[in-house]
Amino acid sequence: MAKKSKITANERRKAIVARHAGRRAELKEVIRTGTTQERAAAVRALARQPRDASATRVRNRDSVDGRPRGHLAKFGLSRIRFREMAHRGELPGVTKASW
């Protein structure tokens, strides 16, 4: 189980990313297609945004207990939680392989 403070901080980051996503996309488009002066202004505006506004600051965590490592994106679980739930039959369509 991850610390509650880490889980809360990650949720806060997700909210900040969602709030700034539109403006960041506009600035990135200007940087990609604008004139030299427009690009420079867009780069400065992008740098003035909060650090946590970048989507790369959000950490993928287990949806059950918040474990940050071994995350399986398809299920939203860590490898350990995935294995436990699969053995108990709580994941529809997931079966144990045998050959």
Side-chain angles (χ1 to χ4, degrees), residues 15-73:
I16 293 171
V17 166
R19 187 169 52 229
H20 292 280
R23 179 68 177 145
R24 284 183 66 83
E26 291 171 8
L27 292 172
K28 294 245 184 178
E29 183 63 25
V30 170
I31 290 169
R32 194 173 68 78
T33 61
T35 65
T36 305
Q37 290 83 14
E38 290 173 342
R39 286 179 182 175
V43 167
R44 285 192 300 273
L46 195 61
R48 279 194 305 269
Q49 287 201 332
R51 182 179 289 180
D52 283 343
S54 174
T56 59
R57 301 275 293 184
V58 176
R59 182 84 161 136
N60 287 329
R61 289 184 172 271
D62 186 328
S63 59
V64 177
D65 66 358
R67 188 176 200 279
R69 304 279 177 112
H71 183 263
L72 301 174

Side-chain angles (χ1 to χ4, degrees), residues 1 3 8 11 15-16 22-23 25 32 42 47 51 55 59 64 68-69 71 80 83 86-88 96:
M1 179 81 189
K3 290 171 41 173
T8 305
E11 294 302 319
I16 293 171
R23 179 68 177 145
R32 194 173 68 78
R51 182 179 289 180
R59 182 84 161 136
V64 177
R69 304 279 177 112
H71 183 263
I80 297 166
R83 185 170 186 269
H87 282 312
R88 289 193 303 249
K96 187 168 187 270

Side-chain angles (χ1 to χ4, degrees), residues 91-95:
L91 299 175
V94 176
T95 58

Side-chain angles (χ1 to χ4, degrees), residues 74-85:
K74 185 174 180 179
F75 298 95
L77 301 169
S78 68
R79 61 186 176 81
I80 297 166
R81 183 76 48 209
F82 172 80
R83 185 170 186 269
E84 290 173 357
M85 291 178 78

